[in-house]
Amino acid sequence: GEQVYFTGTSETLDTGQRIVHGQAVEVCGPATQERYVGQRLRVQFPGGALVNVLPAELSREPAPPLLGGFTPGEQVYFTGTSETLDTGQRIVHGQA
């Protein structure tokens, strides 16, 4: 199949495999799960994961760099003011 680039959001699948924004993937064909037929494509990620993705999450060109020049999976540190979010989650200055 055609090699394209995944431009969707990085995530860890139920299998534990991580799919990452910007990864090169291979188009295998149309989605085979009934709820995705006619809406998504089945692609294979490095490591073998077969995932049904929206065509809008694929590009024939490499994904553009993220804002600030950051890369997916890169460890960064929060430099803002410590606070508690509406969800109750606490973010702390200097936190990785």
Side-chain angles (χ1 to χ4, degrees), residues 21-92:
H21 174 88
Q23 275 185 312
V25 299
E26 182 179 344
V27 176
C28 298
T32 54
Q33 285 182 298
E34 188 175 329
R35 66 181 182 171
Y36 298 132
V37 170
Q39 300 173 27
R40 297 182 183 219
L41 296 170
R42 188 167 175 86
V43 300
Q44 185 168 23
F45 281 81
L50 292 168
V51 181
N52 295 309
V53 300
L54 294 167
E57 295 177 323
L58 300 172
S59 172
R60 288 186 172 94
E61 301 296 322
L66 298 175
L67 293 174
F70 295 104
T71 58
E74 178 180 10
Q75 182 170 333
V76 296
Y77 298 89
F78 179 64
T79 61
T81 303
S82 298
E83 65 177 293
T84 301
L85 304 175
D86 292 340
T87 61
Q89 181 180 3
R90 180 114 175 108
I91 53 174
V92 179

